[in-house]
Amino acid sequence: MTKILVTLSVISGLLLFLASGVLIRADTLEVASEPSPVFEGIQTPAPPLSPDYFPCTTCHEKGKTNNLRRQLTEDHTDIVFDHDAKNRWCLDCHAPLDRDKLHLASGELIDFDQSYRLCGQCHGPTYRDWKVGIHGKRIGMWNGQKNYFLCVHCHDPHSPSIKPIEPFPAPVKPVGKPFLFEARNR
Amino acid sequence: MKKENSNRRLSRRTFLRNSMQSAAAVAAGLCLPGVLAGCDTKVVEAFLQKHFLELSPSELNKVLRGLEKENLKKYGTSTVVSAKPAMPGVLFGYGLDLSRCIGCRRCVHACVKENNQSRDPAIQWIRVLEFPKEKGIDFSEANPYYCASGAGQLSDEQRDILAKPESQYPLYQQKETAQGADCKVPRPDHFYVPISCQQCENPPCVKVCPVNATWKEPDGIVVIDYNWCIGCRYCMAACPYGARHFNWAEPKLPAQDVNPDMHYLGNRPRYRGVVEKCTYCIQRTRNGRYPACVEICPVGARKFGNLLDPKSEIRSIMERKRVLILKNDLATKPKFYYFYGL
């Protein structure tokens, strides 16, 4: 008897769960869950890490850190930090004790190739659009395997607004030969 | 009165007879000393070729292999000319994010490269218009010639990007060239609207063609049979988007720039005196690939997919974003959707 009750409650729980899932879908509100099934079969390319710096642990020893919020004066002075600089600094994203990783607000350590999860913590609507392919770029097949690009392929994580770039050549203005009457009048 | 009438009829008849005779004489003079013997058989075959839609599979195969042979002779590279039909259950739609486009014109040149357009005179299927923000989309304010200071030729760096679109990333570490120092896009207070064929569901260009050389395929792509086009350019007059382009001169395509992956209705080399236009890269999209402009766009403003698939990118755009089509009042029903991603 108890067995039946347990199975019944499990089934009803499952149904409720499914129903809530459907509701969430209908509202296009996607609750951040563990590695989303959307990513299955979709490759993200390797993150654009500078070989001059990566792996970071060649300099930054694991397990050691200076937590003091400060202006860097010796190294990494080339980094222009313009990403809510008033409220944030390096160790809000970079894991203090393992510099080869990033860390989420939850404390979970992630690799650089999952950095989109870090960005998605604040940029929710953009993250949602990126997952369905509205924001950002995809290459590959429109009906099959797609390659995503990471946020950091286009946006400098330290200064994310897109900077103006050089355009490709303009079309040639049509320059007509002189009209017949013009030629005659010459 | 009656006499005059009969006279006129007579004269008309004579005229017809004479013209028939002269036509026969011209034909004979050109290539009929013995029946079709002295004539280049390819010329005769091309002249007598049926309409694309009426070709039997074996005839079509013959035509395609003939085109490949012609390409080999002309460009010295082996090409594959396919005539792959539309996939069932597919209707192509295109999305362009106006809040992302920065007007960098990479799509224009990727398109030229992919679709074997004539380099001289330069034919470009995509035209990127620059608008001042304060005026909104007002075509009388559009400027396609912004940042035109350069030599108009692609630099080596730009060629590398076209050959390998992934090499543009990370976008913020692009090398600067001296050429581009004076003008960078997006320019302040301007926005950009790239325009190419809108692949109308109700295409005015198809309606006006007097010889049925252009038609809408089942997957929604408006195509042209370059062997059937007579070059009357009615379609260009009818198109409200300026999407069709005419080969006024013999198209010049350097042999090293030929894209060997060709489609009969798409990017095979064109002839002088025919009209051409965007085909959503028919040679790519019918094989499941994204169009070349989608793959080159550095900011991901270009989207492509199947309008009949509810899970496709283009459908999610139409459900979630503010979408607009150009010249809605003309009821051409474009399948090219501009939207605001922000």
Side-chain angles (χ1 to χ4, degrees):
Chain A
M1 190 62 192
T2 42
K3 217 175 184 181
I4 293 169
L5 270 176
V6 167
T7 34
L8 266 178
S9 60
V10 165
I11 287 170
S12 58
L14 261 176
L15 278 175
L16 261 176
F17 174 73
L18 282 175
S20 63
V22 168
L23 278 178
I24 287 166
R25 268 290 146 74
D27 289 340
T28 65
L29 260 170
E30 278 170 42
V31 176
S33 54
E34 278 319 291
S36 167
V38 181
F39 298 117
E40 278 174 11
I42 297 167
Q43 290 177 342
T44 46
L49 293 164
S50 163
D52 300 346
Y53 290 119
F54 199 82
C56 311
T57 41
T58 45
C59 299
H60 294 274
E61 205 181 318
K62 265 190 194 179
K64 274 191 179 176
T65 186
N66 177 1
N67 269 332
L68 196 67
R69 200 185 151 116
R70 62 195 184 279
Q71 187 77 39
L72 300 182
T73 48
E74 283 167 35
D75 263 315
H76 299 306
T77 45
D78 54 328
I79 294 174
V80 179
F81 190 64
D82 181 18
H83 192 175
D84 193 17
K86 229 189 239 173
N87 300 309
R88 298 162 64 247
W89 81 299
C90 318
L91 298 186
D92 288 327
C93 298
H94 292 278
L97 299 178
D98 183 356
R99 289 299 164 82
D100 290 343
K101 307 248 178 192
L102 300 165
H103 68 137
L104 302 180
S106 64
E108 184 189 344
L109 296 188
I110 55 167
D111 285 321
F112 278 91
D113 56 8
Q114 283 197 13
S115 54
Y116 54 84
R117 292 175 63 198
L118 178 71
C119 309
Q121 293 183 131
C122 297
H123 303 279
T126 314
Y127 185 37
R128 184 193 64 201
D129 282 355
W130 180 75
K131 279 196 280 189
V132 294
I134 300 178
H135 183 101
K137 174 166 156 168
R138 289 169 162 191
I139 60 172
M141 315 285 278
W142 59 264
N143 62 355
Q145 175 83 40
K146 293 173 180 58
N147 288 357
Y148 275 65
F149 284 82
L150 292 170
C151 317
V152 292
H153 280 107
C154 301
H155 301 281
D156 183 345
H158 302 119
S159 174
S161 64
I162 296 268
K163 311 292 179 290
I165 57 172
E166 184 188 324
F168 276 36
V172 183
K173 240 181 204 172
V175 182
K177 286 176 186 152
F179 283 119
L180 206 58
F181 66 86
E182 281 174 0
R184 211 185 292 141
N185 287 347
R186 247 186 298 162
Chain B
M1 193 67 189
K2 229 178 187 179
K3 208 177 176 187
E4 245 178 57
N5 243 348
S6 68
N7 264 350
R8 197 180 294 158
R9 211 178 294 147
L10 246 180
S11 64
R12 185 166 160 271
R13 230 173 245 170
T14 346
F15 167 75
L16 277 177
R17 199 190 304 130
N18 287 346
S19 57
M20 293 276 274
Q21 279 168 350
S22 57
V26 165
L30 274 179
C31 47
L32 301 174
V35 185
L36 294 179
C39 190
D40 187 353
T41 47
K42 268 181 214 146
V43 173
V44 176
E45 269 170 29
F47 186 73
L48 297 178
Q49 186 185 314
K50 283 189 208 159
H51 189 278
F52 176 78
L53 296 174
E54 288 172 354
L55 288 169
S56 73
S58 64
E59 286 170 328
L60 179 59
N61 190 46
K62 213 176 150 195
V63 168
L64 297 179
R65 300 298 85 80
L67 287 172
E68 283 168 5
K69 232 182 251 173
E70 228 171 84
N71 289 339
L72 186 62
K73 205 172 136 198
K74 196 168 175 193
Y75 303 106
T77 44
S78 58
T79 54
V80 181
V81 183
S82 111
K84 198 174 180 176
M87 296 180 198
V90 170
L91 187 66
F92 288 128
Y94 203 109
L96 203 151
D97 193 342
L98 290 181
S99 46
R100 308 267 175 227
C101 178
I102 55 171
C104 67
R105 292 205 196 93
R106 279 159 169 74
C107 50
V108 176
H109 293 273
C111 171
V112 167
K113 184 181 153 77
E114 171 70 28
N115 289 299
N116 294 322
Q117 269 113 297
S118 168
R119 308 302 204 267
D120 178 35
I123 290 184
Q124 297 173 345
W125 291 351
I126 306 175
R127 205 170 161 81
V128 186
L129 302 181
E130 186 186 63
F131 294 87
K133 269 185 184 166
E134 55 181 7
K135 303 275 173 139
I137 298 189
D138 175 359
F139 284 103
S140 60
E141 299 285 338
N143 170 23
Y145 303 111
Y146 61 92
C147 293
S149 56
Q153 295 298 314
L154 289 167
S155 67
D156 289 344
E157 290 92 347
Q158 290 171 334
R159 280 176 190 280
D160 290 346
I161 289 177
L162 291 181
K164 213 166 166 273
E166 305 93 278
S167 68
Q168 333 178 49
Y169 298 99
L171 205 54
Y172 43 89
Q173 281 175 15
Q174 280 204 12
K175 276 177 251 160
E176 279 185 28
T177 59
Q179 200 185 345
D182 54 337
C183 185
K184 286 189 170 186
V185 289
R187 296 205 292 176
D189 301 323
H190 287 84
F191 69 96
Y192 300 86
V193 182
I195 295 182
S196 53
C197 176
Q198 308 282 304
Q199 313 290 359
C200 306
E201 201 48 27
N202 182 19
C205 52
V206 167
K207 273 187 238 170
V208 298
C209 180
V211 294
N212 287 341
T214 180
W215 64 91
K216 195 178 71 190
E217 287 276 291
D219 52 8
I221 304 176
V222 176
V223 294
I224 302 168
D225 182 351
Y226 311 119
N227 280 47
W228 207 255
C229 175
I230 57 171
C232 69
R233 313 195 303 281
Y234 284 15
C235 53
M236 291 172 69
C239 176
Y241 306 102
R244 288 177 167 252
H245 304 269
F246 187 63
N247 286 281
W248 289 97
E250 187 66 36
K252 273 194 206 106
L253 172 63
Q256 74 270 15
D257 289 340
V258 173
N259 173 15
D261 175 21
M262 296 180 185
H263 195 284
Y264 182 91
L265 300 171
N267 63 342
R268 68 181 169 110
R270 271 75 68 184
Y271 314 106
R272 182 169 68 106
V274 302
V275 171
E276 58 180 77
K277 63 180 275 297
C278 159
T279 61
Y280 279 167
C281 285
I282 196 166
Q283 68 283 359
R284 282 166 156 256
T285 48
R286 286 212 173 152
N287 288 315
R289 296 172 68 198
Y290 279 123
C293 47
V294 171
E295 296 217 328
I296 195 77
C297 181
V299 294
R302 290 174 168 269
K303 303 291 168 190
F304 183 81
N306 180 7
L307 289 170
L308 304 181
D309 173 9
K311 284 184 188 155
S312 67
E313 288 157 39
I314 188 72
R315 279 287 289 273
S316 49
I317 286 165
M318 296 177 84
E319 278 154 25
R320 292 165 192 226
K321 299 294 177 189
R322 292 167 289 149
V323 174
L324 66 104
I325 51 176
L326 291 183
K327 302 194 178 177
N328 189 16
D329 47 335
L330 298 180
T332 50
K333 298 183 189 163
K335 289 194 291 297
F336 199 106
Y337 305 97
Y338 294 91
F339 69 99
Y340 294 100
L342 286 176

